[in-house]
Amino acid sequence: MDKVLNKNLEEYKELLKNFINTQDERSLYKVERMSKSFIRNSVLPEEIVNLHIQAMDELYPDIANSFHHSMNFLLEAMISYGLAHQEFQLLREQQIALKSEISIAARMQETLLGTEKPNIDGLDIGVVSVPAHQMNGDYYHFLKGNDGMLGLAIADVIGKGIPAALCMSMIKYSIDSYPEESMRTNVILESLNRVVERNVESNMFITMIYAQYFPDESILRYSFAGHEPAYYFNAMKNTFEEVNTKGLVLGVLPNATYSQKELELEKDDMVIFLTDGVTECRDDGRFIKIQEVLNLIEQYKHLPAQDIVDRVFKYFEKLQDFTLRDDFTMIILKKEV
Amino acid sequence: MTPQSFVTVYKEWDIVGARQIAREMAKELGFNVVDQARIATAVSELARNIYLYAKEGQIHYEVVETMNKKGLCVRAVDTGPGIKDISLVMQDGYSTSGGLGAGLPGVKRLMDEFDIQTKVGEGTTITTTKWVRL
Ligand SMILES: Nc1ncnc2c1ncn2[C@@H]1O[C@H](COP(=O)(O)OP(=O)(O)O)[C@@H](O)[C@H]1O
Ligand SMILES: [Mg+2]
């Protein structure tokens, strides 16, 4: 660092002399370049003040004492800034390291929790799930049973980030271990509730929906655990109805029970599942009303399910100035024939 | 000036005296202006900690010389409450003063060598040295 400074002293002195004589912009531009090189080389503010003192002493040996003292005073005033700068530098390095760790974790989450939209007879599926930060606290998972039925899990961890993501992996692997087709949706939630209650700290809660669609009967069976209601769009009547069952969020009571309901779908009927990131997204402090979401869906109802969810997401993304405050997940099941 | 001396820190204004001796010794040893200011600031932090947390203590100054280098060793000694969690205190950003860079991690940065001995209920000794840059 001393070498850098000595080399710079001559250059700085020259520039300073030029500037004092002519007050030209060129010298100012050059000192701007120099200042950037100081930062690159971790030269601290007090050292720059010292450089200035030395340059002035050499250029004007008989400069006023009062000026000389004032410069020493300024140097002293810079010491704490120098310390703050060093700490800032260190914290920045740590932050870069953390960020890269988190992005590795996020990629792992994608691989661990990845799920593909299955092809189900007569059912058009649309999905959008976008995390507000790197790690998604919303989770959805599709399963296809042997007889062509669809299993759909949607969960939202209250409490976000890495702990939420870890919790999701646990849920996924539990679901994977169930003999899915033979289980009722409420029994699946009851079993997951026990897993969560036993394994997750009591300050973390999970809301969840488990649904199964049976294409042969065109019937959707579902159970809710404290989750946002879903909406059923009746194409013939052109109306929306809330779809819900009573039930506690997962992880509160060891023996919570859940109930199951069912719904028969006709052609062009839709079921819309959401997480609270949709209804809690805000437009300048105003909560978005679910009606606004449903109006949009109604407007786009003739489109394929994927186009509907994409357009709804784009609309809300724009409303929030392209910075999501919460993870946003919306899944639409649309009966085709 | 003797090569070894100390001041007692008891009142806030003693911090000023502690800084001044540090600066004068640093100057005499041939430290440049920037390092003089850094040593004075480090001593100021140590003395202020004594004043704030131990109520009373001393700052000792010693010129240290080896075959090929010369430096100033500053020792802050008190019999105050001691520090319970040193690694926490030495973490950047822990200082209660809030701002970045201050406190004991700052002292460590300002100086070249830093050692802390402390026992809860018995006191704290912080020894720190800076070498003259040749
Ligand atoms: N000499 C001391 N005796 C007892 N406790 C101390 C002493 N010096 C520092 N501490 C403790 O360590 C903490 C951190 O000190 P420091 O890094 O100087 O930051 P700050 O003084 O701004 O809190 C203090 O808040 C205090 O609790
Ligand atoms: Mg302090």
Side-chain angles (χ1 to χ4, degrees), chain A residues 60-71:
Chain A
Y60 306 95
D62 40 29
I63 198 158
N65 254 339
S66 57
F67 177 77
H68 187 87
H69 293 323
S70 86
M71 289 307 292

Side-chain angles (χ1 to χ4, degrees), chain B residues 45 49 53 103:
Chain B
E45 289 279 350
N49 279 357
Y53 309 116

